[in-house]
């Protein structure tokens, strides 16, 4: 089994910064795509940023130029550096990953989420 655990969320003022981390654990052979999604109350979960194993990235238009996704393959961890935060960034942020284990084919996993609140 594979588990994704997010950390780094919290309360920050508009214009501030946060860095989210997501660590994968379990019998991991290889992690392919990793990404961050977010969901605000009453809204649909949306993709924020994604990064492939080769390093290519995709960002939602709303966060381009402000957020940066990166990964440390040795630690099975993906990060999201969030700068110039806005109140509309307030949401629960979820980690997502495509993970291959010794016993299974590649499967998609979700973390439990970490709250990010941007407020003055």
């Amino acid at each position: 089994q594979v588990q994704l655990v997010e950390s780094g969320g919290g309360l920050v003022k508009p214009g501030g910064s946060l860095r989210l981390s997501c660590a994968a654990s379990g019998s991991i052979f290889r992690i392919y795509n990793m990404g961050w999604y977010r969901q605000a109350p009453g809204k649909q979960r949306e993709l924020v940023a994604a990064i492939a194993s080769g390093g290519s990235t995709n960002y939602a238009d709303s966060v381009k130029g402000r957020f940066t996704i990166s990964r440390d393959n040795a630690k099975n961890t993906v990060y999201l550096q969030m700068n110039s935060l806005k109140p509309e960034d307030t949401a629960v942020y979820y980690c997502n990953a495509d993970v291959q284990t010794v016993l299974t084919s590649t499967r998609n996993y979700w973390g439990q989420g970490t709250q990010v609140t941007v407020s003055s």
Side-chain angles (χ1 to χ4, degrees):
Q1 56 275 355
V2 174
Q3 186 174 26
L4 305 180
V5 180
E6 302 98 334
S7 63
L11 175 64
V12 65
K13 294 184 180 297
S17 298
L18 284 174
R19 191 191 194 203
L20 305 183
S21 298
C22 172
S25 62
S27 299
I28 299 170
F29 175 73
R30 182 177 175 87
I31 302 178
Y32 296 92
N33 301 312
M34 304 187 80
W36 289 94
Y37 291 72
R38 67 186 181 188
Q39 187 167 23
K43 302 194 72 174
Q44 184 177 338
R45 188 173 299 186
E46 64 177 356
L47 176 68
V48 177
I51 184 168
S53 58
S56 65
T57 58
N58 289 308
Y59 296 94
D61 288 339
S62 60
V63 307
K64 286 182 179 177
R66 299 189 298 121
F67 291 10
T68 302
I69 189 170
S70 62
R71 62 192 288 169
D72 185 335
N73 292 328
K75 296 181 178 180
N76 292 325
T77 299
V78 63
Y79 306 94
L80 185 68
Q81 178 66 47
M82 305 185 294
N83 299 325
S84 301
L85 283 162
K86 305 174 180 179
E88 50 262 46
D89 294 319
T90 296
V92 177
Y93 284 70
Y94 297 91
C95 180
N96 181 267
D98 297 317
V99 183
Q100 182 179 6
T101 69
V102 174
L103 298 178
T104 69
S105 59
T106 300
R107 294 181 178 180
N108 188 254
Y109 296 88
W110 289 95
Q112 293 299 305
T114 185
Q115 178 71 47
V116 171
T117 302
V118 184
S119 176
S120 60

